[in-house]
Amino acid sequence: MMTHAIQIQTVRSDPCRALVSAGPVDVARLSERQAAGDLLQTLKAIPLLKGMSPRALARFARSAELRRYMPRAEVFGPGSAPSGLFFVVEGCVQLVTPSADGRQRVAELFETGAMFGEIGVLTQRPFHMHAVATDPTVLIHVDSAAVRSALDYDIGLARRLLDSMACRTQRLIDSIGVSSSLSAVARASAYLFELAGSKKPTDDSALVLPAPKATIASMLNMKPESLSRSFRRLLDLGVIRVRGRRVYVQDWAQLAGLAGRSDPR
């Protein structure tokens, strides 16, 4: 997870009815002095960029800007040209696509420390999906030309980017299999298992849902009430405790079994 070297005030907006807000985006371009200081330190903490030379990182910082988004504000939409690479400093962004029945479905969530926009940077083709902030969100945007230039001479960066894209593709393939073949309780369990990451069975810290439950339900290809019933079932079984967006796993072995995993961690 990235170090929050930059302190920035975010502004909450009133809830919107539409999934994608057409309102203005609060964009704060950093001065040259700021880009050489706090922003550079934040870029250094991003795993993808570790290994880059100080000179190359400084060029990245000069091509970067900090962007702030209110909940449900659009980062990019279908038909928009790729402008660069995005890193999530704070908040969460959902990738939204139309489904076969005409409804919008959340395909992916990008949480703090995540990266997105790389496919557009490499293909230079217009986006086909919406990227929308789910909460007050702060992103670092690095200009596409600067990213492509760095990839031309930094083989290590190119390999790390390919590794990241391969892992992301595998996660999407896995999620398709889960959402199409498992019950609602099994899908919810598998999602919590994935959210736990490297947490140990003895770790009693909370899993924090990165977005509202309705958003997570959409990503799991279920209705919000189905996710609520699934969490209630897990609660009744003594598998979890829930407080708002915080989920405490009380029985990792049972969660693993419900998720179809052979190993509790």
Side-chain angles (χ1 to χ4, degrees):
M1 184 177 294
M2 290 191 298
T3 302
H4 290 205
I6 302 172
Q7 299 298 321
I8 185 167
Q9 182 179 3
T10 56
V11 180
R12 293 184 180 274
S13 70
D14 293 331
C16 304
R17 292 184 180 179
L19 179 63
V20 178
S21 170
V25 175
D26 181 8
V27 179
R29 175 171 286 281
L30 298 177
S31 67
E32 184 176 349
R33 181 178 179 181
Q34 287 173 310
D38 286 347
L39 182 56
L40 181 58
Q41 293 303 313
T42 304
L43 290 172
K44 284 181 179 179
I46 297 174
L48 178 74
L49 306 182
K50 287 184 177 179
M52 291 183 69
S53 69
R55 187 173 181 180
L57 269 174
R59 283 198 296 268
F60 248 57
R62 287 194 294 270
S63 301
E65 63 181 7
L66 205 62
R67 297 184 176 185
R68 298 179 291 178
Y69 296 84
M70 298 179 293
R72 300 187 180 180
E74 185 177 272
V75 179
F76 57 72
S80 58
S83 60
L85 201 56
F86 294 91
F87 298 98
V88 184
V89 176
E90 180 181 333
C92 182
V93 173
Q94 58 183 350
L95 198 62
V96 183
T97 180
S99 61
D101 58 7
R103 294 181 300 175
Q104 290 180 314
R105 181 189 171 191
V106 177
E108 215 172 345
L109 288 174
F110 302 107
E111 307 167 45
T112 299
M115 169 193 72
F116 64 98
E118 69 276 22
I119 294 176
V121 169
L122 296 176
T123 65
Q124 292 294 286
R125 294 179 179 177
F127 290 113
H128 299 290
M129 299 182 179
H130 292 281
V132 184
T134 65
D135 295 295
T137 297
V138 182
L139 304 177
I140 291 177
H141 173 269
V142 182
D143 183 74
S144 181
V147 177
R148 292 173 68 86
S149 176
L151 292 173
D152 284 341
Y153 62 79
D154 191 330
I155 296 177
L157 175 63
R159 286 176 176 169
R160 290 192 297 276
L161 183 61
L162 286 173
D163 287 344
S164 175
M165 293 175 66
C167 291
R168 180 181 167 193
T169 300
Q170 187 61 58
R171 284 197 303 270
L172 287 172
I173 292 171
D174 292 343
S175 69
I176 291 171
V178 167
S179 64
S180 61
S181 62
L182 298 183
S183 68
V185 172
R187 273 179 269 172
S189 300
Y191 174 74
L192 292 176
F193 212 88
E194 179 71 21
L195 187 64
S198 60
K199 281 182 179 291
K200 303 296 182 183
T202 55
D203 189 347
D204 60 357
S205 60
L207 305 179
V208 181
L209 300 179
K213 291 176 184 176
T215 299
I216 293 171
S218 176
M219 186 176 66
L220 297 178
N221 197 25
M222 65 173 76
K223 295 180 179 179
E225 53 267 31
S226 296
L227 181 61
S228 295
R229 284 195 296 268
S230 298
F231 277 4
R232 168 53 62 183
R233 178 60 177 161
L234 293 174
L235 187 67
D236 292 342
L237 290 171
V239 178
I240 63 172
R241 289 186 295 113
V242 181
R243 290 185 179 179
R245 285 197 190 180
R246 296 182 178 274
V247 179
Y248 298 85
V249 178
Q250 297 181 292
D251 190 333
W252 285 101
Q254 194 173 180
L255 182 69
L258 291 167
R261 305 293 182 93
S262 57
D263 188 348
R265 290 305 309 148

